[in-house]
Amino acid sequence: MVIERFRDDDMIPVYERLRDSGRMLPDGLTYAGSWVEPGFGRCFQLMECDDLRLLQRWVLGWRGCGVTFEIVPVVPGQETGEVVAPFLG
């Protein structure tokens, strides 16, 4: 999960770059979806990859447009359920 924060709640520079250059995803990094807060403070994106360096490369491509990134590795609920299942009573 990637949490983007827009400087001064201004998403316009990010959307301009998205319009002009696309998502700029390196090969091996897949965009699964995104959700934006109504006040435009944050965007939550689901990304998939096997190599976290791909996320680093992607973040570097977005420098200078007024966005910061928090990267939170997550495990799908179904897979977590499979790990937990042997411990259930």
Side-chain angles (χ1 to χ4, degrees):
M1 163 96 44
V2 176
I3 303 169
E4 295 183 5
R5 288 180 177 80
F6 304 116
R7 182 176 41 228
D8 300 324
D9 297 335
D10 183 7
M11 82 306 300
I12 296 299
V14 174
Y15 275 79
E16 287 174 338
R17 185 172 291 183
L18 179 63
R19 177 198 63 207
D20 297 343
S21 302
R23 294 199 183 279
M24 302 185 301
L25 298 172
D27 289 339
L29 180 60
T30 303
Y31 167 82
S34 63
W35 301 261
V36 180
E37 287 182 324
F40 302 108
R42 296 182 296 177
C43 175
F44 302 88
Q45 294 193 51
L46 218 47
M47 308 286 240
E48 297 176 349
C49 66
D50 292 325
D51 183 350
L52 294 176
R53 294 175 297 176
L54 296 173
L55 284 166
Q56 291 176 321
R57 190 174 303 147
W58 176 72
V59 166
L60 286 170
W62 286 89
R63 290 177 309 170
C65 68
V67 65
T68 59
F69 299 89
E70 178 182 355
I71 298 171
V72 182
V74 294
V75 178
Q78 181 176 347
E79 292 178 24
T80 298
E82 293 167 4
V83 170
V84 172
F87 296 91
L88 300 177

